[in-house]
Every structure is written in structure tokens, then in C-alpha cells.
Amino acid sequence: MISYLIAIAIIGLIYVLLGLALNLQWGQTGLINFGHVASFAIGAYTSGLLSLTGLPIPLAMAAGALLAGLAAWPLGRLTVTLKEDYLAITAIGFSEVVRSVLENEMWLTRGPSGVPGIPSLFAGLPATERGAAILAALVIAAAIVFLLLERLTRAPFGRALRAIRDNEMAAAALGKNIVSFKTRSLVLGAAIAGLAGAFYAHYLTFVSPEQFTPEVTFNVWIAVIVGGSGSNLGTILGTFLLILFLEGTRFLNDLGLALDGSQLGALRFMLIGAALVLCMLFRPSGLLPPSTRSG
Amino acid sequence: MGISRRDLLQRSAGLGALLATTAGGLRISVAQEAEEIRFGTLCPITRAGSIFGPGAQKAMEFAAADVNELGGLLGGRKIRLYSEDSQSDPDAGVRAAKKLIEVNQVQTVLGTWSSGVTMAVAPIVMESKVVNMNFSGTTDLRDMKKDEWIWPVAGSNLAYGEMMGTYAIQQGYKNASFMAFNNPSGLTLGEEFKRVFEAAGGTCNVIVYNPNQPSYRAELTKALSTNPEVIALGSYLPDTTIILKEWYALGEPTKWIGPIWAVSPALVDAVGAEAAEGIVSIGAVPNFDSPAYAAFKERYEKATGQPVLANPFSAMGYDMVVTCALAIEAAKSAVAEEFRKKIRAVASPPGKKVYTIKEALDAIRAGEEIDYEGVGGNMNFDETGEAKPYFGYWIAENGKLDFKGPVKG
């Protein structure tokens, strides 16, 4: 039981990192990044492949985050001058390009077969302890990212991002360099997503293009929107709620609903959908929306 | 942050209630009598594999019920199945496997489908000391060190490619094209088809295409450019549907061969009787020679309304549970670490061929060596730990996919 909870918490925290990154890009800056999964994938593959060449895992993970950030830079330079909806389309395109590369550059990524045998974090420990150690590392990483982003939100940089989000024209008129601010927000968010990817690769020890579908992006979007766009705490709450919906529904049968396996499978998705609709109906600005003062 | 205390209370109350219900569920599932032997199933109930998953899971339930009806194993211990949905997705599959292993404390994770799911679940089952039997055909799985934890039973893509090539040669074709979906399954099928076909003196031109395209016109034109007598497919249902419709519109004559998961009754329905006419489907077939097959067929078709030939994984799912049950009886242990070493012994030669659970259990209890022949296949595991199913072929005629007979290798 405890290992299962640890496993779920690890996936949950990886999604928290992704959520915090998206919250910086969307919640703070208003960038509609529909290609979030691309940064996640770049982080996972970079870190996984580098560690397979013998690079120590911490260095490989840092490289994963760095490369994910760098890969977002041209996207930022090219597209942040576009209006929001155009950025959304370009970002989807970017993530599909990344997935195509993963699927087709066999020499580098082994194509659709995926990369098995990636070294696990804390490989020396037995299974349960290893899970706990990975979880601890993730808690520390998420806490650092959270504090950093909270700090950033309150700093002049965060205020500038929100000013751009709310009225780009006015911010530009006040002398803010819009392109530079937006690019920095995009790159920082991508690097955080890359770090999440690196944790993912060294936890699962297997990555394949199938794991980096647009669905990941939209799960993160759900978490951010349900939690409250613009609020880091809300994002964390939204992520936990999403994982609770996704995983908690597995236990419906144990609660005495004697359903056929295939009925349960279908019912789970209906319940998840209904729960999300209800959240939005009763809490249209999220469970923990940012207060008007800081948001 | 301006959150009032009342707000926070209100918000956390709902969350707390949800947590409490989930925790209640966990408690129930942990408190079970120790007598039961816990089997986990992880079939693809939703999304891509949903044509096969529910049927396979149903057949596993039959097998568990049959064993229990005969009085269970090891002097009266019943099998209890815990079933999860892999959602045909590696990520969800891993979480579900963790739940089965950690929460339900199962000894098996049976019925994983799609190479991605099985490859992602593989390190977890081996580390947790749980037996996995799967319907995955990737050659990565064939090559990896499985150490008797992981058993593919549905035939690798090598077997499918070989059978499609064999069939094409038997039809006297000399010039073929192969359209391969760009994933391990499609590519292996293509390579193996080409190998078998060219070894018999034919020529084969392999075209690889990428998934999720609205049109495959360019790839189709390339495949037709060598005027092949036959185009073989390493594909799936959605892309095959588009390819066949586009081919029909072009009006260039050629024959088609595809694997059963792509060339299925659903494909014939989707493209229409005329476009589908004459297309050949190669697939695993159940073990027609087993005396237990007829009864299984009737029971399965009555329970699901799906013809058993449309889902060969169902009969194999039945065999998975039976094989594990027999191994448990033979090993005199319901612990995966012990009974995995008997899986090959009870299912593969040498030994007395047995076809029903009763026969098999009686023989094991009498101390005889047995070779269980399943309803889904002969379950003879080769040196890599993989069982090869029997194959047959279907031809689409007048809007229906008719089963014609076995393909002999």
C-alpha cells in the first residue's frame, strides 16, 4: 500500500512541477502554451540518453532541464510577438515536431520502441526505499521551484509579467520589453518542465514517444485551471485533485460497486469528466484563485 | 494571499470527504481472508485496445471461476481476480500495475497489451516479483532477460510477419509491397515479411509511414509504383481504413494482406463491401484441436456477443490464468517467485498432453508431468520464454470477413 501511495505521489509531484511551470507561462504571463509536453519530453529523453552514456544522473538531469529551456528559446523569440491564439497553435506544432523527432530519429531515440533500461535514481536502494528517496528528492525540488516562483511572483519581474498578461499595450507603453519578458517566462517554464521530465525518466526507467502525447499537456492545463490560474498553491491543489480523480476512481469497485471490469473502465472516465465540469461550474476561477491584490 | 478561514474550511471539507471515501475503499480491499490466491489482470479496457481487452478479461474470469468450481488450488484455496484498466497507455498502465501489486498484493499481472505498456510495466513486475503474461509482440521483449517473470503468449511480430509472408508465397505472389506503420510492430512485420518473401525468390518494397495522418495518398502511390501483385500491411485499424478507401478511389488493381488487428470485421464495415472485397486477414486462431474449445467458444460468445474468432486474445487470456493456476499446483506454492519456475514445465513438452483444467489438476496431483494445451494456443514456451499461437486466414467476401482455415508454416 505504502509503495503505491509513494508511486502516486511521485507521479503527482512530477505533474506539480509541470503545473507550476505552466502556471508561470499561462497564469502569470498569459502565454497559451499548448506544447508543454515538448519540454517534458526533451527533459526526459535528454536526461535518460545522457545517463545511458555514463554521465552521472544529477548532471544528466541538469542537462535535461537546460536543453528543454534552450529549446523553448527560439520558440519564444519567434512567436511571442504573435498574439496569444497564434502562439497556441505554434506551440502545438512545436510539440508535434518534438514527438516526430522522437519517433523518427532512430539512431538517437530508438524511435517508437522507446528507450529501456535508463538508470534509476538511487539505484542502490531496495524498491520501497528507492521510491521514498525519489519522492523526497522530488519534494525538495518542488519546494525549491515553488518558493522560487512565489518569490518571482512578488518581485518586480512577476508584476511585469502580470502587467503584460493584463494589458500588453499598456506595459509596452511603460517601457517594458515585452519580447524579453515573455521569452524569459517561456524558457524558465520549459526548464522546469524539463526537470520534471528528467525525474520521470529516472523514475520509470523507460521512455517512449507514446508517453508524450498532447494529452499530458491538457492534463496539466486541467490541473492549472481547476486549481486557479495564476496561483501556485492553486496549481498544486489542482494537480492533487486531478491525480485523485484519475487514481481514486480505481477503487470504486472496492467500495462495493460490483461492476464489470469494462464497465468500470468506461465509468471512470465519465466520473472524471463530470467532476471537472462540476468544478468549473461552481468554481469558475479555480479552487484557489489568486487574490486580487497579488494577482 | 487573501483567503479567509471560512473559505479554506469550505474548500477543504469537500476534499476531505473525497479522501475519506478513497481511504475507506483501501481499507476494505486490504482486509481479505488470507486463503485466496490473488491474480491481477491489466487488460486494455479503454482506448486503442478496447476491442480486445474486455473480452480477454471476461475469459480470465471464466478460467478463475472454473478453477474455483473444481475446488480451487493447493487444497481448497480460491483464485480471486483483481482487474485494472491499462487504458492502452504506458503511464496509466504503470500506475495500475503499482495499484494491483501494492494495494491488492497480486501474484500476477496478466493481459498487458501494446508493447509500450508491457515494456513500461516489465521492470516493475520483475522487481516486485510478480508474473506477467502479455499479448505484446515487440522483439525488444523477446530479446530481454525475462528470467521466467514475463511470458508473451500472443506471438511476436516476427511470427505475424513470417505467417503473412508464408501465405503470400503460398499464393504464388512474386512482387509485393509492404506498407509499415512507423512503430516497432509495423517495422518488424515489414522486415520479417520481406525476409521470408525474398528468401522464396520474390521482391518486396517496404514503405514506412507515420501515424495519425489524414491521408496516406503519397505512401500508397509509392507502394503501387512497382506494380505489386499484393500489398501487405503492418498497420492498425484507423490508418488501414484510410489507406483502403484511398486505394479504392484510385482504382488500381492489387491484392491486400493484413494482420487481424487491422483487417478486422470493423475494417470491412468501415470501408464498405466493395472496397474490402478479397482482402486477406492473417491472425492468431484458437486451438481448434482442443476438446475444450467448442465449450469455450459457446460460453464466450454467449457472454460477450462477440465471435471468439474476432478476439483470439480471449482464449489466450483463459490459458494465461489456467497456466498460472497449474503452475501453482505443481509448485505447491501460490507465491510468484516459486510458481514461475513451473510455468514452462506445466505448459510445454515433455509431458502428457492435457486439455482441460480437471484433467491437468488430476495429473499434477498424481505426480505426472503434463503439457497443457490451451484453448487459445498450445502454450509451448520456446527458449526465449515466448509461446507462438496457431494462425489462420480470413477473406472479405460480400461485406463479411469469412474464416477460411489455418495457415501452415
Side-chain angles (χ1 to χ4, degrees), chain A residues 104 130 215 247 250-251, chain B residues 26 47 84 95 127 182:
Chain A
N104 293 292
R130 185 166 73 233
E215 195 187 328
E247 287 301 310
R250 287 192 195 282
F251 294 90
Chain B
L26 302 186
R47 293 196 252 173
E84 277 300 333
R95 281 180 277 134
E127 187 168 273
N182 188 6

Side-chain angles (χ1 to χ4, degrees), chain A residues 204-291:
Chain A
L204 273 191
T205 70
F206 173 75
V207 290
S208 73
E210 287 176 88
Q211 293 159 350
F212 302 101
T213 53
E215 195 187 328
V216 177
T217 303
F218 293 106
N219 274 343
V220 179
W221 271 90
I222 290 170
V224 172
I225 291 172
V226 167
S229 302
S231 153
N232 289 324
L233 269 180
T235 298
I236 294 174
L237 180 64
T239 312
F240 282 145
L241 218 54
L242 180 76
I243 298 287
L244 197 66
F245 286 159
L246 287 175
E247 287 301 310
T249 43
R250 287 192 195 282
F251 294 90
L252 286 174
N253 257 0
D254 300 337
L255 285 172
L257 272 172
L259 287 176
D260 200 83
S262 36
Q263 288 169 330
L264 180 65
L267 184 65
R268 281 183 56 211
F269 287 103
M270 287 168 65
L271 285 176
I272 293 165
L276 293 175
V277 170
L278 287 177
C279 277
M280 284 296 92
L281 271 177
F282 292 106
R283 285 268 168 196
S285 49
L287 295 168
L288 283 180
S291 64

Side-chain angles (χ1 to χ4, degrees), chain A residues 10-287:
Chain A
I10 288 173
I11 300 281
L13 279 172
I14 288 171
Y15 269 86
V16 162
L17 283 178
L18 286 172
L20 289 173
L22 184 67
N23 189 44
L24 171 69
Q25 296 170 340
W26 155 247
Q28 295 290 328
T29 325
L31 299 170
I32 306 183
N33 182 2
F34 280 171
H36 203 39
V37 69
S39 313
F40 186 47
I42 293 172
Y45 265 85
T46 306
S47 186
L49 290 170
L50 281 179
S51 69
L52 276 175
T53 65
L55 198 70
I57 295 178
L59 286 181
M61 289 177 69
L66 193 68
L67 196 67
L70 284 180
W73 186 79
L75 183 72
R77 297 304 292 184
L78 284 173
T79 58
V80 286
T81 51
L82 300 172
K83 282 185 70 170
E84 297 94 349
D85 24 4
Y86 298 103
L87 171 65
I89 292 169
T90 323
I92 287 191
F94 174 61
S95 78
E96 287 301 294
V97 166
V98 169
R99 200 152 64 92
S100 285
V101 170
L102 299 183
E103 267 171 3
N104 293 292
E105 296 306 315
M106 310 282 284
W107 60 273
L108 182 64
T109 64
R110 295 192 77 236
S113 303
V115 184
I118 295 172
S120 175
L121 270 171
F122 311 108
L125 296 173
T128 309
E129 284 80 354
R130 185 166 73 233
I134 295 178
L135 182 61
L138 259 166
V139 168
I140 294 169
I144 292 173
V145 168
F146 174 75
L147 292 174
L148 175 86
L149 289 178
E150 279 292 296
R151 177 93 183 73
L152 219 58
T153 306
R154 286 165 221 280
F157 178 71
R159 275 202 299 279
L161 292 183
R162 285 192 298 281
I164 291 168
R165 175 192 71 189
D166 293 340
N167 192 335
E168 198 175 316
M169 218 55 116
L174 288 172
K176 300 289 176 200
N177 183 342
I178 309 285
V179 174
S180 157
F181 274 103
K182 280 186 169 180
T183 308
R184 276 186 278 165
S185 163
L186 200 65
V187 167
L188 183 58
I192 296 170
L195 180 68
F199 271 108
Y200 185 74
H202 294 289
Y203 169 63
L204 273 191
T205 70
F206 173 75
V207 290
S208 73
E210 287 176 88
Q211 293 159 350
F212 302 101
T213 53
E215 195 187 328
V216 177
T217 303
F218 293 106
N219 274 343
V220 179
W221 271 90
I222 290 170
V224 172
I225 291 172
V226 167
S229 302
S231 153
N232 289 324
L233 269 180
T235 298
I236 294 174
L237 180 64
T239 312
F240 282 145
L241 218 54
L242 180 76
I243 298 287
L244 197 66
F245 286 159
L246 287 175
E247 287 301 310
T249 43
R250 287 192 195 282
F251 294 90
L252 286 174
N253 257 0
D254 300 337
L255 285 172
L257 272 172
L259 287 176
D260 200 83
S262 36
Q263 288 169 330
L264 180 65
L267 184 65
R268 281 183 56 211
F269 287 103
M270 287 168 65
L271 285 176
I272 293 165
L276 293 175
V277 170
L278 287 177
C279 277
M280 284 296 92
L281 271 177
F282 292 106
R283 285 268 168 196
S285 49
L287 295 168

Side-chain angles (χ1 to χ4, degrees), chain B residues 94-165:
Chain B
V94 162
R95 281 180 277 134
K98 284 268 183 196
K99 185 252 177 188
L100 285 171
I101 294 168
E102 303 294 343
V103 180
N104 303 125
Q105 298 174 358
V106 297
Q107 297 297 325
T108 71
V109 171
L110 304 179
T112 49
W113 174 87
S114 120
S115 22
V117 173
T118 303
M119 289 300 291
V121 168
I124 296 169
V125 296
M126 289 204 272
E127 187 168 273
S128 316
K129 304 196 185 307
V130 166
V131 164
N132 166 260
M133 292 191 175
N134 61 72
F135 303 119
S136 302
T138 167
T139 41
D140 273 345
L141 201 56
R142 196 180 164 79
D143 300 336
M144 78 189 269
K145 192 171 172 297
K146 296 189 280 293
D147 205 16
E148 301 185 308
W149 293 113
I150 293 171
W151 306 86
V153 306
S156 71
N157 296 309
L158 281 176
Y160 269 86
E162 184 194 332
M163 282 297 157
M164 285 166 61

